[in-house]
Amino acid sequence: MKIGFDGKRAVSNMTGLGNYSRLVIEQLAENYPQDSLYVYTPKLKENPRLSLIRSLPNVEFRLPSGSGFSGSLWRTFGVTNNLRADKVDIYHGLSNELPLNILSAGVPSVVTMHDVIYRRMPECYSAIDRRIYDFKYGRSCRNATRIIAVSERTRQDVVELYGVDPDKVDVVYQGCDASFKRKRSLEELSEVKTRLGLPDRYILQVGTIELRKNLELTVRALGALPEDVKLLAVGRDRGGYMGKVDAIARELGVAGRVVFRHDISFANLPAVTQMAEAVVYPSRYEGFGIPVLEALESGRPVVAATGSCLEEAGGDAAIYVAPDNARQMGEALKAIISGAADVKAMVEKGKRHAARFDTEKMASSIMAVYEKALVGF
């Protein structure tokens, strides 16, 4: 089979959508070596995170050529000419969208929908962005032969908000990078802690520092913890939310205990996660919540927020709190750090739950969706 992929995020995005795109391409290429994978991207640049993909013999990158389009216009319209020329059997949009003219390409298509947060939390997006996403992603859902949702929550959102037939949507949970599963030695952990200048004791929150991720809840809970325990917030600021969080920390007298870091590479993140006394993810809304799964694979206890899909990501292994209840968050973290919570049992449950997100299973489930699309086209 010849499988085409929208490769823009795999090439250019270093976080969530890029990680997902690379993982899908890697796993399908490795588990189905008899198939040919074409990664269509407006440009190809040096990216160390592409090293595995570029080493796989059944993966080829395709750039704009002979289509009369370039850049984003090629990705949105012109790439269908290349799909026909390459005689691909199926095309997979890995990050919420398909070419607007995919129906005229004569190729069955699958789109992975990660979330519809711009509809659930519109205050986090500009009006123009909301309109663009709604148009492109909604049209992609309607035009796709099949839809992959990364969680049951996202499946329900797509069905409700875009009027899609539920039978057209398959839930395929994503896995996380294998690097989180490897337990680091004490020597490795010590080296990373020293090199990065990390606190001796910390709880960890990973993700863009923005309103939706709700870092302020963790800051408000920090006073319930021993004074030598700090909050390590790993991510880039978006929309000036870091300033709001810093002001709250100063008001509560815990500013010296909040450490903002945007410079921790993905390669160092597994060790940073494994050294955390707890991992928190109080996001108000997510499509899946990969930091929860990364923490479980790293053998760390997790506290997450209710209200979206995080219960799917964490299962019975995590503690869940209301996204506006700092007291609950403080009590949950205090129980973990003090030993009142059975951390060993949480970690064991986490490993069992994380097994549901095996990457080989992800690859076989995606291939099953392709087969449905081919039969139903």
Side-chain angles (χ1 to χ4, degrees):
M1 188 189 324
K2 292 183 178 180
I3 310 169
F5 297 94
D6 176 5
K8 177 184 175 181
R9 303 293 184 182
V11 170
S12 302
N13 190 309
M14 301 301 287
T15 55
L17 294 180
N19 291 339
Y20 173 83
S21 298
R22 287 184 289 270
L23 186 66
V24 168
I25 295 168
E26 290 166 359
Q27 290 300 311
L28 288 174
E30 290 183 322
N31 286 283
Y32 300 92
Q34 72 278 11
D35 293 328
S36 298
L37 280 61
Y38 297 135
V39 181
Y40 296 90
T41 176
K43 58 182 178 180
L44 185 58
K45 60 182 181 180
E46 289 301 317
N47 181 346
R49 301 281 295 284
L50 289 174
S51 58
L52 175 55
I53 292 177
R54 300 185 83 161
S55 72
L56 296 169
N58 58 334
V59 179
E60 296 181 38
F61 286 89
R62 290 287 198 261
L63 296 166
S65 62
S67 66
F69 294 92
S70 63
S72 60
L73 282 177
W74 175 72
R75 179 172 176 251
T76 304
F77 294 104
V79 70
T80 51
N81 295 330
N82 299 83
L83 302 182
R84 286 190 291 266
D86 289 332
K87 298 180 179 179
V88 302
D89 295 297
I90 195 161
Y91 182 74
H92 188 169
L94 294 166
S95 54
N96 300 338
E97 62 183 297
L98 294 168
L100 293 180
N101 59 346
I102 191 65
L103 290 179
S104 66
V107 177
S109 61
V110 173
V111 64
T112 294
M113 286 297 293
H114 295 266
D115 60 68
V116 194
I117 297 171
Y118 49 91
R119 291 287 293 270
R120 292 301 188 195
M121 293 191 68
E123 66 273 19
C124 295
Y125 299 83
S126 69
I128 186 63
D129 282 346
R130 292 198 306 272
R131 285 195 290 269
I132 291 173
Y133 296 156
D134 220 18
F135 172 71
K136 291 198 302 183
Y137 301 168
R139 181 162 172 167
S140 295
C141 288
R142 290 184 286 271
N143 288 347
T145 312
R146 302 290 306 177
I147 300 170
I148 289 174
V150 298
S151 68
E152 181 58 37
R153 176 69 268 168
T154 294
R155 178 180 181 273
Q156 292 171 11
D157 284 347
V158 167
V159 169
E160 175 188 342
L161 297 173
Y162 290 130
V164 173
D165 182 347
D167 291 336
K168 180 179 172 177
V169 189
D170 298 285
V171 175
V172 178
Y173 289 117
Q174 67 185 93
C176 75
D177 194 274
S179 60
F180 287 91
K181 301 179 183 181
R182 184 177 73 81
K183 185 174 177 59
R184 270 54 176 180
S185 68
L186 292 177
E187 291 77 12
E188 288 177 292
L189 296 177
S190 178
E191 188 278 329
V192 171
K193 177 177 282 189
T194 300
R195 175 162 48 83
L196 298 181
L198 301 180
D200 288 332
R201 302 182 69 191
Y202 59 87
I203 56 174
L204 176 67
Q205 182 165 332
V206 177
T208 305
I209 299 173
E210 61 178 330
L211 177 66
R212 178 170 59 87
K213 301 292 187 180
N214 200 20
L215 179 62
E216 63 186 272
L217 181 74
T218 315
V219 170
R220 293 184 186 280
L222 199 54
L225 307 182
E227 290 189 1
D228 63 333
V229 176
K230 296 188 177 182
L231 165 59
L232 177 60
V234 176
R236 294 185 178 276
D237 182 36
R238 178 181 177 185
Y241 181 65
M242 184 185 293
K244 177 180 179 180
V245 172
D246 185 60
I248 292 171
R250 292 181 184 281
E251 177 185 342
L252 297 175
V254 296
R257 298 170 60 189
V258 181
V259 180
F260 296 103
R261 294 291 295 269
H262 68 272
D263 58 344
I264 293 178
S265 69
F266 186 80
N268 287 318
L269 194 55
V272 173
T273 303
Q274 290 179 21
M275 286 185 282
E277 301 203 15
V279 174
V280 293
Y281 205 59
S283 179
R284 295 181 180 280
Y285 211 86
E286 291 292 325
F288 178 67
I290 193 67
V292 171
L293 180 56
E294 291 169 347
L296 297 183
E297 292 283 24
S298 299
R300 303 317 305 140
V302 175
V303 183
T306 57
S308 58
C309 66
L310 298 182
E311 293 94 335
E312 293 180 66
D316 64 351
I319 298 173
Y320 300 97
V321 302
D324 291 306
N325 196 321
R327 179 185 58 78
Q328 281 186 348
M329 174 64 84
E331 289 175 350
L333 289 170
K334 186 176 180 180
I336 289 171
I337 289 173
S338 70
D342 190 342
V343 172
K344 182 178 179 181
M346 291 180 70
V347 170
E348 289 174 351
K349 287 181 180 179
K351 289 294 186 181
R352 287 197 297 270
H353 182 72
R356 297 181 60 196
F357 306 98
D358 176 75
T359 51
E360 288 188 23
K361 180 180 179 181
M362 177 191 75
S364 66
S365 297
I366 291 175
M367 191 60 70
V369 175
Y370 293 168
E371 296 297 337
K372 285 185 183 180
L374 290 167
V375 170
F377 187 67

PDB file of all heavy atoms in Angstrom, residues 319-332:
ATOM      1  N   ILE A 319      -4.927  10.888  40.474  1.00  0.00           N
ATOM      2  CA  ILE A 319      -5.880  11.570  41.346  1.00  0.00           C
ATOM      3  C   ILE A 319      -6.466  12.730  40.550  1.00  0.00           C
ATOM      4  O   ILE A 319      -5.730  13.456  39.869  1.00  0.00           O
ATOM      5  CB  ILE A 319      -5.199  12.094  42.623  1.00  0.00           C
ATOM      6  CG1 ILE A 319      -4.613  10.930  43.439  1.00  0.00           C
ATOM      7  CG2 ILE A 319      -6.180  12.892  43.479  1.00  0.00           C
ATOM      8  CD1 ILE A 319      -3.777  11.384  44.624  1.00  0.00           C
ATOM      9  N   TYR A 320      -7.783  12.920  40.626  1.00  0.00           N
ATOM     10  CA  TYR A 320      -8.427  13.974  39.852  1.00  0.00           C
ATOM     11  C   TYR A 320      -9.050  15.015  40.772  1.00  0.00           C
ATOM     12  O   TYR A 320      -9.644  14.677  41.804  1.00  0.00           O
ATOM     13  CB  TYR A 320      -9.499  13.368  38.935  1.00  0.00           C
ATOM     14  CG  TYR A 320      -8.921  12.367  37.975  1.00  0.00           C
ATOM     15  CD1 TYR A 320      -8.981  11.009  38.261  1.00  0.00           C
ATOM     16  CD2 TYR A 320      -8.264  12.773  36.820  1.00  0.00           C
ATOM     17  CE1 TYR A 320      -8.419  10.075  37.403  1.00  0.00           C
ATOM     18  CE2 TYR A 320      -7.696  11.861  35.956  1.00  0.00           C
ATOM     19  CZ  TYR A 320      -7.771  10.507  36.258  1.00  0.00           C
ATOM     20  OH  TYR A 320      -7.198   9.596  35.413  1.00  0.00           O
ATOM     21  N   VAL A 321      -8.899  16.278  40.369  1.00  0.00           N
ATOM     22  CA  VAL A 321      -9.430  17.392  41.151  1.00  0.00           C
ATOM     23  C   VAL A 321     -10.196  18.326  40.224  1.00  0.00           C
ATOM     24  O   VAL A 321      -9.968  18.344  39.003  1.00  0.00           O
ATOM     25  CB  VAL A 321      -8.298  18.167  41.864  1.00  0.00           C
ATOM     26  CG1 VAL A 321      -7.500  17.257  42.777  1.00  0.00           C
ATOM     27  CG2 VAL A 321      -7.362  18.837  40.853  1.00  0.00           C
ATOM     28  N   ALA A 322     -11.091  19.106  40.781  1.00  0.00           N
ATOM     29  CA  ALA A 322     -11.813  20.113  40.002  1.00  0.00           C
ATOM     30  C   ALA A 322     -10.845  21.203  39.574  1.00  0.00           C
ATOM     31  O   ALA A 322      -9.970  21.606  40.348  1.00  0.00           O
ATOM     32  CB  ALA A 322     -12.953  20.697  40.818  1.00  0.00           C
ATOM     33  N   PRO A 323     -10.952  21.719  38.347  1.00  0.00           N
ATOM     34  CA  PRO A 323      -9.967  22.681  37.838  1.00  0.00           C
ATOM     35  C   PRO A 323      -9.960  24.031  38.540  1.00  0.00           C
ATOM     36  O   PRO A 323      -9.042  24.832  38.310  1.00  0.00           O
ATOM     37  CB  PRO A 323     -10.347  22.830  36.362  1.00  0.00           C
ATOM     38  CG  PRO A 323     -11.775  22.425  36.287  1.00  0.00           C
ATOM     39  CD  PRO A 323     -11.951  21.365  37.323  1.00  0.00           C
ATOM     40  N   ASP A 324     -10.937  24.295  39.410  1.00  0.00           N
ATOM     41  CA  ASP A 324     -10.958  25.551  40.162  1.00  0.00           C
ATOM     42  C   ASP A 324     -10.789  25.344  41.656  1.00  0.00           C
ATOM     43  O   ASP A 324     -10.939  26.290  42.432  1.00  0.00           O
ATOM     44  CB  ASP A 324     -12.276  26.301  39.906  1.00  0.00           C
ATOM     45  CG  ASP A 324     -12.373  26.839  38.492  1.00  0.00           C
ATOM     46  OD1 ASP A 324     -11.455  27.564  38.074  1.00  0.00           O
ATOM     47  OD2 ASP A 324     -13.355  26.511  37.802  1.00  0.00           O
ATOM     48  N   ASN A 325     -10.459  24.149  42.075  1.00  0.00           N
ATOM     49  CA  ASN A 325     -10.395  23.846  43.502  1.00  0.00           C
ATOM     50  C   ASN A 325      -8.945  23.675  43.955  1.00  0.00           C
ATOM     51  O   ASN A 325      -8.382  22.581  43.916  1.00  0.00           O
ATOM     52  CB  ASN A 325     -11.203  22.582  43.810  1.00  0.00           C
ATOM     53  CG  ASN A 325     -11.508  22.432  45.285  1.00  0.00           C
ATOM     54  OD1 ASN A 325     -10.675  22.732  46.133  1.00  0.00           O
ATOM     55  ND2 ASN A 325     -12.718  21.973  45.595  1.00  0.00           N
ATOM     56  N   ALA A 326      -8.328  24.777  44.376  1.00  0.00           N
ATOM     57  CA  ALA A 326      -6.934  24.747  44.823  1.00  0.00           C
ATOM     58  C   ALA A 326      -6.768  23.907  46.085  1.00  0.00           C
ATOM     59  O   ALA A 326      -5.710  23.291  46.288  1.00  0.00           O
ATOM     60  CB  ALA A 326      -6.431  26.165  45.058  1.00  0.00           C
ATOM     61  N   ARG A 327      -7.794  23.887  46.923  1.00  0.00           N
ATOM     62  CA  ARG A 327      -7.700  23.081  48.143  1.00  0.00           C
ATOM     63  C   ARG A 327      -7.562  21.603  47.803  1.00  0.00           C
ATOM     64  O   ARG A 327      -6.734  20.890  48.374  1.00  0.00           O
ATOM     65  CB  ARG A 327      -8.937  23.315  49.016  1.00  0.00           C
ATOM     66  CG  ARG A 327      -8.925  22.485  50.322  1.00  0.00           C
ATOM     67  CD  ARG A 327     -10.232  22.658  51.096  1.00  0.00           C
ATOM     68  NE  ARG A 327     -11.378  22.265  50.302  1.00  0.00           N
ATOM     69  CZ  ARG A 327     -11.749  21.008  50.097  1.00  0.00           C
ATOM     70  NH1 ARG A 327     -11.055  20.008  50.627  1.00  0.00           N
ATOM     71  NH2 ARG A 327     -12.831  20.744  49.369  1.00  0.00           N
ATOM     72  N   GLN A 328      -8.383  21.131  46.854  1.00  0.00           N
ATOM     73  CA  GLN A 328      -8.280  19.734  46.433  1.00  0.00           C
ATOM     74  C   GLN A 328      -6.903  19.427  45.857  1.00  0.00           C
ATOM     75  O   GLN A 328      -6.309  18.381  46.151  1.00  0.00           O
ATOM     76  CB  GLN A 328      -9.341  19.412  45.379  1.00  0.00           C
ATOM     77  CG  GLN A 328     -10.736  19.171  45.923  1.00  0.00           C
ATOM     78  CD  GLN A 328     -11.688  18.719  44.823  1.00  0.00           C
ATOM     79  OE1 GLN A 328     -11.378  18.789  43.635  1.00  0.00           O
ATOM     80  NE2 GLN A 328     -12.856  18.237  45.225  1.00  0.00           N
ATOM     81  N   MET A 329      -6.402  20.322  45.036  1.00  0.00           N
ATOM     82  CA  MET A 329      -5.080  20.113  44.443  1.00  0.00           C
ATOM     83  C   MET A 329      -4.018  20.049  45.530  1.00  0.00           C
ATOM     84  O   MET A 329      -3.143  19.172  45.525  1.00  0.00           O
ATOM     85  CB  MET A 329      -4.756  21.225  43.441  1.00  0.00           C
ATOM     86  CG  MET A 329      -3.336  21.167  42.870  1.00  0.00           C
ATOM     87  SD  MET A 329      -2.995  19.698  41.874  1.00  0.00           S
ATOM     88  CE  MET A 329      -3.653  20.230  40.275  1.00  0.00           C
ATOM     89  N   GLY A 330      -4.092  20.976  46.477  1.00  0.00           N
ATOM     90  CA  GLY A 330      -3.114  20.994  47.566  1.00  0.00           C
ATOM     91  C   GLY A 330      -3.165  19.720  48.393  1.00  0.00           C
ATOM     92  O   GLY A 330      -2.124  19.146  48.754  1.00  0.00           O
ATOM     93  N   GLU A 331      -4.380  19.254  48.691  1.00  0.00           N
ATOM     94  CA  GLU A 331      -4.522  18.038  49.486  1.00  0.00           C
ATOM     95  C   GLU A 331      -3.988  16.820  48.741  1.00  0.00           C
ATOM     96  O   GLU A 331      -3.344  15.942  49.328  1.00  0.00           O
ATOM     97  CB  GLU A 331      -5.995  17.834  49.858  1.00  0.00           C
ATOM     98  CG  GLU A 331      -6.514  18.840  50.879  1.00  0.00           C
ATOM     99  CD  GLU A 331      -8.004  18.683  51.144  1.00  0.00           C
ATOM    100  OE1 GLU A 331      -8.659  17.910  50.393  1.00  0.00           O
ATOM    101  OE2 GLU A 331      -8.510  19.323  52.090  1.00  0.00           O
ATOM    102  N   ALA A 332      -4.252  16.758  47.448  1.00  0.00           N
ATOM    103  CA  ALA A 332      -3.780  15.615  46.658  1.00  0.00           C
ATOM    104  C   ALA A 332      -2.256  15.582  46.601  1.00  0.00           C
ATOM    105  O   ALA A 332      -1.637  14.530  46.804  1.00  0.00           O
ATOM    106  CB  ALA A 332      -4.363  15.695  45.243  1.00  0.00           C
TER     107      ALA A 332
END
